[in-house]
Amino acid sequence: MSFTGKATFTAGAELPEIAEDVSDVIGIVSPYETPLLSEIGDPQREARSTYHEWLEDSLLANSDVINDQDITMPGSCPEFDVADISKFRINDQIQPEGSSEVMLVIGKTGSTLNVTRGYGGTSAEPIEDGQRINIIGPSAVEGEDFPESRFTARARQGNWTQIFTAGVEVSGSNMAADHIGIAEEMDYQKQMRLRELLRDLENTVINGAMAQSSPAGTASQTRTMRGIIRHIQTNIFQAGSGDVPDGDVLTENMLNWALRQIWEKSCGNVDMIVAGGAQKRRINSFLEGSRWYGPEDTRVRSGVQMYESDFGVCRVILSRWVPSGTILLLDSSRVSVMPLTGRSMHFKPLASSGDYERGELIGEYTLELKNQQAHGIITGLV
């Protein structure tokens, strides 16, 4: 005999007499994680002005390039022009890039070097315009006079602070009412807006741009910081063009080539690779040719968390805010995200003119990225 008694569904489509069953947990469906900020960590100091500056210096250069289109005897000419004659001193040993020949500088006039070719028993080899010349080192004559004093000029670099704000406003009735999943509506709104501001801070640290005119801001124009991508000017590697190997798909060969270029141009130590989802999967694919499984293995692992190359050990960070065709190669010791003094993320209660509570979340931050030559970008990836 079929059931004819009272059931839940007999109450009607809206189930008016059945108590609601609502989970006491609120799920946040939007992404808000900040992996790059977490890896960089808290700054050692705070910015003390809306324009934060730092000094950078460099050693005297130990390379230059040949700047002479009129070399008539490339394999034996005893003189040639260079781009910057001030980098060289008499009795410097020099060596053309890609050559085993060593030369000795015996004179210089204007932009022209006079050299002894095939110095020290080495064999003279052809040279060409645009070829790099490495300065091996100076050699002094015993008892000679004090050499000319040389030095480099320090340079100031800087970035503007950017203000991040979010308003919070909750009615008196809403604050008094019971809520599912939260203890107090005002506190919940503060937490949500703070997550948004931290998410936006990381996005800005990566992708932000500084205004070209009136960067300090005006009564009607905001002040914005320059992000990592726009800070880096030297080591920008466009996949599929120039000397970058292997087309427009990220390979281990390409990654090591980029790390080598950065290593050759600076004293930096790249220890962090930051990538979005697509390029993180490419890095994970480096393992495909070397995976192996034992008889007791029940898991497949394909995630690369650390990458060790000849040019350093790098943590691999997955950040959804990095553009999909780009990876960042960073020296984390030279990257800092710092608040203006007393302006880290905080809540400021504001006066209310009615039956509600209101306030503002405020934070003012800047990016300090020292020695932009110590970092790099690979872009144009698919």
Side-chain angles (χ1 to χ4, degrees), residues 63 95-101 126 131-134 260 264:
S63 68
Q95 185 172 35
E97 183 82 9
S99 171
S100 61
E101 179 187 5
Q131 188 172 9
R132 178 174 171 176
I133 296 289
N134 296 316
R260 177 185 173 186
E264 289 180 345

Side-chain angles (χ1 to χ4, degrees), residues 36 40 45 52-56 156-160 205-206 225-235 328-338 366-377:
L36 179 58
I40 293 173
R45 60 195 176 281
H52 174 66
E53 296 180 277
W54 58 94
L55 290 173
E56 294 183 354
R156 280 194 183 190
Q157 306 294 340
N159 202 0
W160 293 95
V205 163
I206 294 172
M225 74 171 81
R226 182 189 291 117
I228 291 172
I229 290 176
R230 284 158 188 85
H231 255 293
I232 299 173
Q233 300 294 321
T234 301
N235 299 312
L328 309 179
L329 308 173
L330 305 176
D331 179 347
S332 64
S333 68
R334 301 168 189 264
V335 182
S336 184
V337 178
M338 58 182 63
T366 191
L367 167 70
E368 181 185 84
L369 188 135
K370 293 181 176 179
N371 187 7
Q372 59 88 20
Q373 297 97 328
H375 314 274
I377 301 173

Side-chain angles (χ1 to χ4, degrees), residues 10 14 21 24 26 68 82 105 123 128 137 204 219 234 277 300 341 346:
T10 58
E14 301 298 326
D21 177 21
D24 202 28
I26 299 175
D68 194 336
V82 292
V105 177
S123 299
E128 60 182 13
T204 304
T234 301
V300 176
T341 301
H346 63 282

Side-chain angles (χ1 to χ4, degrees), residues 3 18 40 43 61 66 77 82 85 105-106 118 132-133 138 179 181 190-191 222 255 269 281 283 293 310 353 357 363:
F3 175 75
I18 305 298
I40 293 173
I66 297 175
C77 64
V82 292
I85 197 74
V105 177
I106 58 176
R132 178 174 171 176
I133 296 289
H179 293 80
K190 292 178 191 177
Q191 295 170 23
T222 62
L255 179 59
N269 177 30
R281 290 296 302 145
I283 294 172
Y293 307 96
D310 292 328
S353 59
E357 297 293 331

Side-chain angles (χ1 to χ4, degrees), residues 186-201:
M186 193 70 171
D187 287 343
Y188 179 77
Q189 291 300 321
K190 292 178 191 177
Q191 295 170 23
M192 292 295 288
R193 304 294 79 77
L194 178 60
R195 286 191 177 105
E196 292 166 358
L197 291 182
L198 291 174
R199 172 202 64 189
D200 297 342
L201 173 59

Side-chain angles (χ1 to χ4, degrees), residues 45-111:
R45 60 195 176 281
E46 298 178 325
R48 293 177 293 175
S49 172
T50 55
Y51 188 62
H52 174 66
E53 296 180 277
W54 58 94
L55 290 173
E56 294 183 354
D57 203 351
S58 58
L59 301 178
L60 291 165
N62 62 348
S63 68
D64 197 37
V65 293
I66 297 175
N67 185 28
D68 194 336
Q69 297 181 354
D70 301 320
I71 300 174
T72 56
M73 297 180 292
S76 60
C77 64
E79 60 181 38
F80 49 86
D81 292 346
V82 292
D84 187 355
I85 197 74
S86 68
K87 295 178 180 178
F88 300 87
R89 293 191 293 178
I90 306 301
N91 293 323
D92 276 352
Q93 293 185 63
I94 62 175
Q95 185 172 35
E97 183 82 9
S99 171
S100 61
E101 179 187 5
V102 175
M103 306 176 189
L104 184 71
V105 177
I106 58 176
K108 57 180 190 175
T109 305
S111 60

